[in-house]
Amino acid sequence: MKSSNNPSQRLALVGKGGAGKSALTALMTRSLVQRGENRILVIDADPTMGLSHVLGVRAEKTLEDIRRTIINVGGRGNRQERESLVQGLEYHLLEALVEAGGFALLAMGQPQQSGCFCPANTLLKGTIESLSSQFDLVLIDCEAGLEQISRKVIGDLDWLIIVTDPTRRGFQTALDIKKAAARFTRARDIGLIVNRVKEGGQGIDHLIGDTPLHILGYIPEDETITEWDMAGRPIFNLPDRALSVRAMETILKEII
């Protein structure tokens, strides 16, 4: 484990819904593990919990489970029980970690009630701060949109990586995210990954030319991902020859 004097690197993937954040988080995790990076924490901060599927890991306990425990204990009014829970909170967080294939996964989970995700995001923010010092690298797959940016859930970052598909709407959303990130985060670097690019980059030249965003690279449209996804096979286990795997390895050379 890292000491608090040697903080971890933090990377967060954000973007509009359907851009492929979870798939790229899985590809990034795969490449980092293959590279031999030590002590990787992957956080599934999206309540839809799609990351677990593409990583091939199941989270039995989530942050939402811990949050409900806190609410239940607080509601019983037993002071000693509340104090015990607060003192043992980090233990509960560590208990929710799933160790698998060279990395640890922590899932936010799905709220059981409708309404604002504010309490869940508040716990997530504290969890990131609490656990980050114990890992060399923290990789966060955020929920779609601006919620976790505007609420400063992912405030302190080495890289904010915006994921877009090759559409005008996707590029516009990416620009909106960058503007919000400049206001609400302390990201030292912000970059864009364009996902599902057709062979030869057809149709995106004008989008690239118009964007002020720093483009980290392109992930090609990969039939292997489609085939594996349809078969229910984790993207984390894609073969080395897959186009998307090779593209991600190239992108990571610029980031880490």
Side-chain angles (χ1 to χ4, degrees), residues 168 171 175 204-213:
R168 182 164 293 281
F171 272 73
L175 188 58
I204 66 168
D205 290 346
H206 64 292
L207 296 174
I208 296 169
D210 291 343
T211 184
L213 292 162

Side-chain angles (χ1 to χ4, degrees), residues 1-3 6-11 37-41 131-138 158:
M1 292 185 178
K2 290 180 74 88
S3 70
N6 188 16
S8 61
Q9 282 190 287
R10 297 185 194 177
L11 294 78
E37 294 286 345
N38 295 318
R39 299 296 300 164
I40 302 169
L41 172 61
L131 294 183
S132 288
S133 64
Q134 301 183 36
F135 292 86
D136 297 308
L137 194 148
V138 179
D158 292 279

Side-chain angles (χ1 to χ4, degrees), residues 13-144:
L13 277 74
V14 297
K16 75 177 183 66
K21 292 183 291 76
S22 294
L24 296 199
T25 302
L27 287 175
M28 195 172 288
T29 303
R30 179 197 185 284
S31 293
L32 291 169
V33 170
Q34 289 288 326
R35 186 194 286 185
E37 294 286 345
N38 295 318
R39 299 296 300 164
I40 302 169
L41 172 61
V42 183
I43 298 178
D44 185 356
D46 190 337
T48 62
M49 294 183 67
L51 183 59
S52 298
H53 172 72
V54 293
L55 285 174
V57 179
R58 179 170 178 170
E60 298 291 343
K61 187 174 183 178
T62 68
L63 284 180
E64 178 61 17
D65 295 328
I66 296 172
R67 190 179 75 85
R68 289 203 305 272
T69 298
I70 293 171
I71 292 172
N72 292 335
V73 170
R76 287 197 288 268
N78 185 313
R79 179 178 176 182
Q80 185 175 358
E81 193 175 15
R82 287 201 304 269
E83 290 178 351
S84 177
L85 178 61
V86 170
Q87 292 170 2
L89 182 57
E90 186 164 339
Y91 167 79
H92 288 285
L93 294 176
L94 293 172
E95 191 179 44
L97 292 178
V98 182
E99 299 279 353
F103 64 93
L105 172 68
L106 181 67
M108 180 176 180
Q110 297 178 332
Q112 298 300 305
Q113 296 178 335
S114 62
C116 179
F117 286 178
C118 305
N121 277 324
T122 298
L123 179 58
L124 175 62
K125 179 180 179 179
T127 297
I128 293 171
E129 296 300 324
S130 175
L131 294 183
S132 288
S133 64
Q134 301 183 36
F135 292 86
D136 297 308
L137 194 148
V138 179
L139 187 58
I140 308 166
D141 178 21
C142 298
E143 66 176 307

Side-chain angles (χ1 to χ4, degrees), residues 203-250:
I204 66 168
D205 290 346
H206 64 292
L207 296 174
I208 296 169
D210 291 343
T211 184
L213 292 162
H214 173 204
I215 298 180
L216 295 169
Y218 309 89
I219 303 292
E221 199 169 49
D222 192 342
E223 291 183 2
T224 310
I225 287 183
T226 304
E227 292 168 1
W228 281 50
D229 193 44
M230 290 180 65
R233 302 173 70 182
I235 291 172
F236 179 79
N237 294 331
L238 280 177
D240 293 342
R241 67 178 182 277
L243 296 176
S244 53
V245 169
R246 290 184 296 185
M248 180 56 74
E249 289 172 349
T250 299

